[in-house]
Amino acid sequence: MSILVLADINDGQLASATAHVVAAAKAIGGDIDVLVAGEGVQAAAEAAAKLDGVSKVRVADNAVYAYQLAEPMGALLMELANGYTHVLASASTTGKNVLPRLAALKDVSQLSDVIGIEGADTFLRPIYAGNAIATVKSDDPLKVITVRSSAFDAVADSGSATVEAIDVVVENTQSSFVKEELAQSDRPELGGAKVVISGGRGMGNGENFKLLDGIADKLGAAVGASRAAVDAGFVPNDMQVGQTGKIVAPDLYIAVGISGAIQHLAGMKDSKVIVAINKDDEAPIFQVADYGLVGDLFDILPELESKL
Amino acid sequence: MKVLVAVKRVIDYNVKIRVKADHSDVDLTNVKMAMNPFCEIAVEEAVRLKEKGVATEVVAVTVGPKAAQEQLRTALALGADRAIHIETDARVESLAVAKLLAKVVDEEQPGLVILGKQAIDTDNNQTGQMLAALTNLPQGTFASEVVVDGDTVNVTREIDGGLQTVALTLPAIVTTDLRLNEPRYAKLPDIMKAKKKPMDVKTPADYGIEVASKVSLLKVESPAERKGGIKVASVDELIDKLKNEAKVL
């Protein structure tokens, strides 16, 4: 087996998700190469070379790969995928954007959001918002897989892989980057945080999410939201936890004013400890919460913040 | 400019699913079905483009069983002008759907193709991207804003950590995210009118596409049930439990 892992890059740095994807690659077994593509990605390449289990880091550093746009990235992977049995990426918005293009160009299926490895060709993946787990077997010559990073523990960074530059440069006349508006936050990223505190429709409005901020600061937590809160316009979509947002599995998940719709549970039910704060003691969220506190969140949150 | 919209018939998003006793799949007998929510957003966006005078015709297409014509009729009631039903009872994977849609794109030559970013049954999130690759067209996935300007379309995308805007040459493929728009409800007169709108029925064989996949579904299981815990009476008790019992603080 020979596996190529597409690295996630954030602002020139290696994203934490990649260490989890390499762990999934190790579970499959075989040689593992990591592709670091972007513009000005040397630091990311060096970080990838330290990931345990990686034999080679391949670096495509060129302006055409900046922001990892789907069209050039798909073409690059098409050039590089020969000789590999598996191509893996995290199920991030980049992995989800790019990998299906490779699969289609190679005339193979893609397996999305894999959460378990049964063997080199057999995988577990959630369907129906995680309300069923499918075991699927791929007989395609190349397995193209996106990995749910929260389902695999990150590998350590004590390795020392070789780093080689790739001079493949593809053309892209179809798409161009215009701008990015990224949320500025000193808090940990939602996908990788050890503690997540999320607000739902019960928060009432976007302003009230500030009540979560103080607690998040004390706990070193990321702040999330339910789809209902996003749909109501309280907070931006990149905070959404759920089937159609981010899938998280922190050590502690605190759900505030969230009823617990199926689609939200799909995004957080693998958290180690779940706390629910809701004024409705019949809310479905209490059926999955380890600790439930029934009451008015506008009383509870300030008290919780002051006592932590 | 013609706009092609792909829609999928899926289990209604409010229905709690059951796994079949023999673990072969999810049980869909006598379950309420509906248009995939992201596809509703796609139809809405196409209709709005027509209302703005950007699109001249909206064509809805689906791949699925005969019953999927219900979802095409819904699309027609919402404002699509005509529909194409590619009828098959097979379990069709994203790649085969993308191949069929690529043939339709070839025939219809739309300026824009709009699809939902994922279907809420298989949760694949692949078809739009695969279609873009097969037709060699640019893609704007997870769109929260679509602005057509002459020969290009600017698509604002929901990405991890925020928003990204890309400019794509037309024709292009767009997949919808939640905040792109709020779909309207079909009005009764429009539902009646939709019954008279044209619908072509084809088969995968008409397009020369083999829908069989090399991925087999070995089994489907319910996820491990999470048991509810306890209710605590106060913030103090909660903090105590988290510190001394769960040991997460």
Side-chain angles (χ1 to χ4, degrees):
Chain A
M1 249 91 61
S2 179
I3 303 170
L4 181 65
V5 170
L6 172 64
D8 271 293
I9 313 286
N10 280 341
D11 202 16
Q13 304 297 313
L14 188 70
S16 60
T18 303
H20 299 263
V21 181
V22 169
K26 281 179 82 171
I28 294 168
D31 279 339
I32 302 169
D33 292 350
V34 174
L35 170 63
V36 174
E39 186 183 24
V41 290
Q42 279 309 313
E46 283 160 28
K50 293 201 181 95
L51 296 177
D52 270 1
V54 175
S55 19
K56 192 166 62 181
V57 175
R58 310 180 72 183
V59 189
D61 200 329
N62 189 286
V64 77
Y65 306 122
Y67 304 101
Q68 300 196 320
L69 297 184
E71 298 76 15
M73 289 298 295
L76 173 67
L77 282 167
M78 189 63 191
E79 292 281 326
L80 299 181
N82 290 332
Y84 291 102
T85 55
H86 299 69
V87 175
L88 271 58
S90 83
S92 62
T93 45
T94 302
K96 288 191 282 198
N97 194 32
V98 171
L99 247 57
R101 279 189 86 101
L102 170 69
L105 294 171
K106 286 285 185 188
D107 196 23
V108 300
S109 292
Q110 177 186 298
L111 303 175
S112 295
D113 234 352
V114 162
I115 57 167
I117 314 274
E118 298 273 280
D121 60 3
T122 306
F123 307 91
L124 300 181
R125 57 176 304 266
I127 53 176
Y128 294 90
N131 289 296
I133 307 296
T135 305
V136 290
K137 180 170 179 283
S138 165
D139 292 323
D140 278 319
L142 174 71
K143 276 74 166 166
V144 177
I145 294 169
T146 61
V147 173
R148 179 176 292 185
S149 49
S150 64
F152 297 89
D153 289 331
V155 296
D157 54 359
S158 53
S160 55
T162 56
V163 177
E164 68 166 36
I166 298 170
D167 53 10
V168 178
V169 177
V170 300
E171 268 206 357
N172 178 24
T173 55
Q174 294 184 315
S175 64
S176 57
F177 173 84
V178 177
K179 64 176 176 180
E180 241 169 32
E181 297 154 61
L182 300 181
Q184 297 298 323
S185 172
D186 299 332
R187 299 216 180 86
E189 162 206 6
L190 199 49
K194 294 252 186 282
V195 181
V196 173
I197 181 164
S198 292
R201 196 187 291 278
M203 298 301 294
N205 59 47
E207 186 68 17
N208 289 337
F209 268 70
K210 287 197 178 130
L211 294 169
L212 304 181
D213 289 349
I215 298 171
D217 287 338
K218 285 199 165 170
L219 295 176
V223 179
S226 69
R227 175 170 163 180
V230 173
D231 281 353
F234 298 173
V235 290
N237 188 53
D238 56 271
M239 287 172 65
Q240 191 202 148
V241 173
Q243 178 186 18
T244 52
K246 300 222 172 37
I247 313 285
V248 301
D251 292 341
L252 173 60
Y253 187 89
I254 306 175
V256 184
I258 292 176
S259 64
I262 291 173
Q263 98 90 32
H264 184 73
L265 301 184
M268 45 63 83
K269 68 184 165 54
D270 292 326
S271 306
K272 291 203 179 72
V273 175
I274 296 174
V275 170
I277 299 170
N278 203 300
K279 68 178 177 200
D280 173 10
D281 68 352
E282 300 281 304
I285 190 76
F286 288 120
Q287 289 165 22
V288 300
D290 300 283
Y291 303 107
L293 181 52
V294 180
D296 188 340
L297 64 92
F298 297 103
D299 298 330
I300 292 171
L301 291 176
E303 186 184 350
L304 183 60
E305 184 183 343
S306 70
K307 287 181 173 167
L308 279 171
Chain B
M1 180 176 78
K2 190 191 286 184
V3 177
L4 182 70
V5 189
V7 300
K8 185 178 184 184
R9 175 183 173 87
V10 297
I11 193 165
D12 185 271
Y13 75 101
N14 280 314
V15 173
K16 191 162 167 45
I17 61 124
R18 290 184 314 270
V19 171
K20 284 184 184 171
D22 66 359
H23 295 290
S24 60
D25 205 339
V26 165
D27 193 353
L28 295 181
T29 29
N30 299 322
V31 166
K32 188 182 176 202
M33 304 293 279
M35 188 190 292
N36 179 47
F38 289 101
C39 303
E40 289 182 342
I41 297 173
V43 172
E44 177 67 31
E45 194 65 16
V47 171
R48 287 188 191 188
L49 284 172
K50 193 177 172 196
E51 287 166 350
K52 277 187 226 163
V54 176
T56 49
E57 187 186 25
V58 175
V59 181
V61 57
T62 195
V63 179
K66 189 163 184 65
Q69 289 186 7
E70 284 170 32
Q71 279 63 49
L72 285 177
R73 290 291 170 201
T74 303
L76 293 169
L78 291 170
D81 297 294
R82 60 187 171 90
I84 302 168
H85 177 212
I86 304 173
E87 189 177 340
T88 171
D89 288 324
R91 186 172 66 90
V92 191
E93 293 266 345
S94 297
L95 179 63
V97 174
K99 285 180 182 174
L100 287 164
L101 294 179
K103 294 285 185 185
V104 175
V105 168
D106 199 36
E107 260 179 27
E108 297 280 344
Q109 296 289 316
L112 198 61
V113 186
I114 312 180
L115 309 87
K117 76 165 179 177
Q118 82 191 61
I120 59 165
D121 50 2
T122 57
D123 283 332
N124 269 346
N125 196 331
Q126 299 173 0
T127 305
Q129 298 89 313
M130 287 180 159
L131 175 61
L134 294 175
T135 52
N136 193 27
L137 293 176
Q139 69 189 45
T141 52
F142 328 140
S144 65
E145 193 182 13
V146 175
V147 181
V148 177
D149 181 14
D151 296 337
T152 61
V153 56
N154 275 31
V155 180
T156 301
R157 308 177 52 233
E158 305 267 8
I159 61 167
D160 296 334
L163 298 173
Q164 178 190 67
T165 305
V166 291
L168 311 174
T169 56
L170 290 174
I173 312 290
V174 167
T175 76
T176 61
D177 215 321
L178 283 178
R179 293 193 303 171
L180 181 57
N181 59 51
E182 219 166 285
R184 70 194 71 186
Y185 293 98
K187 296 191 195 85
L188 190 60
D190 293 332
I191 294 171
M192 301 311 287
K193 265 187 246 161
K195 292 181 179 168
K196 297 205 177 84
K197 287 185 179 176
M199 185 184 302
D200 270 351
V201 180
K202 306 262 196 171
T203 66
D206 293 339
Y207 295 100
I209 298 293
E210 180 59 59
V211 297
S213 156
K214 290 215 167 74
V215 173
S216 39
L217 186 60
L218 299 186
K219 65 177 172 192
V220 174
E221 292 172 303
S222 294
E225 282 279 324
R226 197 178 175 109
K227 289 199 184 72
I230 57 162
K231 294 249 172 76
V232 293
S234 66
V235 169
D236 291 316
E237 190 187 350
L238 176 63
I239 292 173
D240 175 63
K241 292 283 185 193
L242 292 177
K243 274 190 180 146
N244 300 315
E245 193 175 87
K247 298 190 197 311
V248 287
L249 287 187

